[in-house]
Each structure stands twice: as C-alpha cells, then as structure tokens.
Amino acid sequence: MQASAKKQKKAEKLSLGERLRRVVIPKSGTDKSITLAMVCLMIFGSAMVISTNLGTTVGHVRDMYIGIIRQGMFCVLGWFVYCFLSWVFNYRRVNRILQWILVGAYFVVLVYTAIAGIDVNGSKAWISLGLATVQPSEFGKPLLILMLALSIHNMKELPKEKQTFWHVFTIPLVLLLFSVVFVGGLQKDFGSLIITLGIGFVGIMVPSYKNLKGWQHWLLLFFLVMVILFVVGVYVTDWFTEWFSDVPLLRHIAVRIANMKNPYLSIHDEGYQPANALYGIADGGLFGQGFGSSVRKYGFLTQAESDYILAIVIEETGIIGLGVIVALYGLLVWRLLYWALHVKEGADKVLFTCTAAYFMLHFIINVGGVSTLLPMTGVPLLLISAGGSSLMAVCIALGIAQARIVAIRPRIEMLQDIEHKSKAAMDEYHNLQNGRRQKKTTRKPRRRRA
C-alpha cells in the first residue's frame, strides 16, 4: 500500500511538470511541417503587423507600443493553446452534452454581440474586453469543424434508422443557421458567412456513407448552380449590382462588386481603398520597396493591418514575399490533405479536410479581394493579418488537428511500413524468378549419345 501511495505521489509530481510542458511544447508525434509553417507565418505576419503599425499610429507612440504588445500576447497565447490541445484533445472528451453546451454558449455570445457589441462601419461583430476586442464569429469556424467531425464520429452509435442526414448533422446545421441569422443577417459579415458555409459544405461532402449520398448529390448540384449564378451575375452581367443596390441590407455588396470591376470610377469615395491596394501591389514589383518602406500604410489604406495587409506585404517585400506566404500556406494545406488521404476514420477525414478548406477559403477570398479579382468581403489573411480572434481560432483548429495526427500516426506508419516491406519482398521474389528464367534460357543443350 505504501509503495502504491509513493508511486501515486510521484505520478502527481510528474503530472505537475507535465502540465507546464503541455502549454509550451507540442506533443511528440505531431506533424512538424504544420508546426513549422504555422510558426513561420505567425512570425512573418507579426513583423508585417508591426511594420504596418508604424504607419497607422503616426504621432501616437503609445498606441504603437500597445499594438506591438497586443500582437505578441496573442501569438504567445495562441501557441500555448495550440500546444495544450495537441496533448489533451480527444473525441471522447467531447460528449453529446458538452457539444450542446458549446453550441449554446456560442449562441449566447452571438446574441450578446448583436445587443451590446461594438459597432464598426455599421456591423456589430466585436465584443470589447478592455485592452482587446473579440470577434465571436471567428471562433464559430473551428467550432463548426469540430462538430462536423464529431457528427461522423458519433454516427456509428446511432441506430440504423437514425443514420440519416438530419440526425447525423443536427448540430452542424444549427451552427450554420446561427451563421446565416447572426453573422450574415445582423452583422452583415458576408465574408465570414461564405467561409462558414464553405466549411459546412466540405464537411458534408467528404463522408462516403450510403445514407448521405442523396443529400450530397443535391448539395453538389446546388453549389454548381450558385457558382454559375455568381459568375454570370458578377462578371458577365451587372445583375447583382442592380438587384442588391435596391436592398438596404445588401447595398454595400453592390458597392463592392462595382469597386471590384473598376475601383477608379469612385477613387475618392468607395473605391479609395481597393485603388490604393492596387497601387501598393504595383509599386512592390519583384523585390518590394524594402521592409518598413511602404507608403500606402500612411493613411491611404485605413485597414492596412487587417483586411488589406497583403497590399502592404507586396509593396514592402514584392512578389517574393507573396511567394513565401503561398509556399507556407501550400505546405500547411498539403500536410493536412496528406493525413486526410491516409486516414481511414471518416471523422478524421472530415477534420483534416475542413481545416485545409478553412485556410484555403480565407486565402482565396482575401487575396481575391485585395487584388480586385473578387469583391472585397473583409476576410483576414490567417496568421498574417492583425487580430487576436482569427489567430486564436487558427491555433485551436490546428491544435485539434495535431492531436488527431498524434493518435493516428502510429497506425498509418505501421501500415506504410508493412506495405513497403511487402513491396520489397515481392520485388525480390520477381527478381529471383527472372534470374531463374534467364539461367534456363542460357543453359547449353545436352548432346545426344550415338
């Protein structure tokens, strides 16, 4: 009894040290390429945010230092969350009751934001926490990814008659409804709404279960129709500009579509920011003007550190800087899709694919908006743009993904090792058989005795 008590005390002592280690170092077995890409993007993004702050806080030295400290705090806190989740996350920890608690808490926060949120350009999407503001809709994206994965994970526990589309995806569909009502309707944040709906679409389309095939086919058809309608209404004709300009809730979308087509028509009004973003991109060239040498951050771009930070990045670091961002994003997305293709569990396929879609959608919509290839929707460039909410949301999503990589990696590597060994054995066998055939063909024929 005493020996067991000593072992227990020793384990408790180790667990205290382990707890400290879990918020500083990712768990062994995580994908180092994902960690490397995330850290490099975080460092590069923080450097660009600090450079941009030099222009947006001219004459306000105190605000500049506060912005630098705030960005550093968000990076450190995000790293702690990332490491902690890579150690502790497990599907079994998030039971059905906890799932509904998380969804209910998210609903309460969205309601509070709609009532008492900070109004920025006619949109109440932020909550003030004193030194920083929080955008709850950013946390809805990793929450939706988690709920989509859990829906597939819990599907096997449902009776066969309840393994239908509505029973399986009940919680994700509720979250998507919240996004349509609050994020798109009340907050007028159509960029976040598009990304949330895109994540939901990917999460529903990935599972390959017979009971879901019918709805997946209809959703795919609906998606294709929407894409065709978007291309025709935005690029081929002026339908959306004419229709949305008559609807007060959608009038700002009509303005952004018009600015995308030609920002120089109202260069001193609504087209001021997209036009200056294009000027900054043009001034960047191949190698850029040099770090800290941007001109557009000095009042020409009012959202230089958030939505339009890519214009500052290209102006200062050129196409080379953009190439670095593309390469790091490509590495991150490639590793996530690699695990999605190699894992057998449907829940993990959904988790990795939706996390990759999360990054891809943000990248495409932000880059398209800054370059006026797409209407600007106010979507940040993840890990590059300033903003603690998006940074923390990314760290949560990647931390959960890393925890699942740690869980599935031994089995995948074992299967790959068996496959390689069996392939080597088959190659050796074929080589042996070919050698025997060659000996038979080269053997001299015996002479017959007279």
Side-chain angles (χ1 to χ4, degrees), residues 208-220:
S208 57
Y209 294 100
K210 187 177 180 181
N211 295 347
L212 305 177
K213 289 294 183 184
W215 278 99
Q216 288 173 338
H217 291 156
W218 281 109
L219 283 173
L220 181 59

Side-chain angles (χ1 to χ4, degrees), residues 37 41 44 310 313-314 319-334 363 367 381 384:
L41 284 168
F44 186 83
L310 184 67
V313 170
I314 298 176
I319 301 300
I320 301 296
L322 175 62
V324 170
I325 295 175
V326 171
L328 291 172
Y329 262 81
L331 175 62
L332 205 154
V333 171
W334 169 63
F363 181 82
V367 174
L381 187 60
I384 302 294

Side-chain angles (χ1 to χ4, degrees), residues 214-438:
W215 278 99
Q216 288 173 338
H217 291 156
W218 281 109
L219 283 173
L220 181 59
L221 179 62
F222 177 77
F223 171 75
L224 294 175
V225 170
M226 288 294 103
V227 170
I228 294 171
L229 185 62
F230 174 79
V231 172
V232 173
V234 173
Y235 295 99
V236 180
T237 66
D238 293 325
W239 290 349
F240 284 4
T241 307
E242 295 170 358
W243 296 344
F244 293 166
S245 59
D246 297 329
V247 182
L249 182 64
L250 305 176
R251 190 169 295 152
H252 67 288
I253 299 179
V255 172
R256 292 179 179 182
I257 294 174
N259 290 335
M260 179 208 72
K261 290 185 174 183
N262 191 352
Y264 305 105
L265 289 176
S266 57
I267 194 170
H268 298 293
D269 196 6
E270 289 93 351
Y272 183 76
Q273 286 211 105
N276 277 283
L278 292 177
Y279 290 147
I281 293 172
D283 290 341
L286 182 61
F287 299 102
Q289 300 293 322
F291 181 75
S293 301
S294 169
V295 175
R296 303 297 157 191
K297 65 187 178 184
Y298 291 99
F300 293 96
L301 290 171
T302 57
Q303 298 175 357
E305 64 179 12
S306 54
D307 300 343
Y308 282 96
I309 196 170
L310 184 67
I312 307 300
V313 170
I314 298 176
E315 187 181 3
E316 293 189 355
T317 63
I319 301 300
I320 301 296
L322 175 62
V324 170
I325 295 175
V326 171
L328 291 172
Y329 262 81
L331 175 62
L332 205 154
V333 171
W334 169 63
R335 293 306 298 173
L336 287 168
L337 294 179
Y338 169 85
W339 293 109
L341 291 171
H342 285 79
V343 73
K344 300 295 182 183
E345 178 69 31
D348 290 327
K349 283 184 179 292
V350 171
L351 181 72
F352 297 137
T353 308
C354 286
T355 306
Y358 176 29
F359 279 89
M360 291 171 65
L361 288 169
H362 263 275
F363 181 82
I364 292 169
I365 293 176
N366 180 272
V367 174
V370 172
S371 59
T372 66
L373 296 175
L374 291 171
M376 190 63 184
T377 56
V379 169
L381 187 60
L382 296 180
L383 297 172
I384 302 294
S385 297
S389 299
S390 61
L391 181 60
M392 293 297 297
V394 167
C395 292
I396 291 171
L398 290 179
I400 292 172
Q402 288 283 35
R404 292 308 305 157
I405 290 171
V406 172
I408 65 174
R409 189 168 203 159
R411 178 178 173 81
I412 291 176
E413 290 181 348
M414 182 187 68
L415 292 174
Q416 288 178 343
D417 186 51
I418 293 172
E419 184 181 352
H420 290 155
K421 287 181 179 178
S422 62
K423 186 178 180 182
M426 289 299 296
D427 291 341
E428 186 177 353
Y429 172 77
H430 288 307
N431 291 334
L432 193 63
Q433 290 293 323
N434 291 332
R436 288 177 179 175
R437 288 172 185 169
Q438 288 177 2

Side-chain angles (χ1 to χ4, degrees), residues 32-78:
K32 294 181 180 178
S33 297
I34 292 177
T35 302
L36 176 65
M38 187 193 80
V39 172
C40 289
L41 284 168
M42 199 180 290
I43 293 172
F44 186 83
S46 297
M48 292 309 306
V49 169
I50 292 171
S51 173
T52 307
N53 273 333
L54 297 175
T56 56
T57 58
V58 173
H60 303 278
V61 180
R62 181 174 174 272
D63 293 340
M64 181 186 71
Y65 284 119
I66 289 175
I68 294 172
I69 293 170
R70 187 189 296 125
Q71 183 68 20
M73 288 176 58
F74 282 136
C75 289
V76 172
L77 185 59

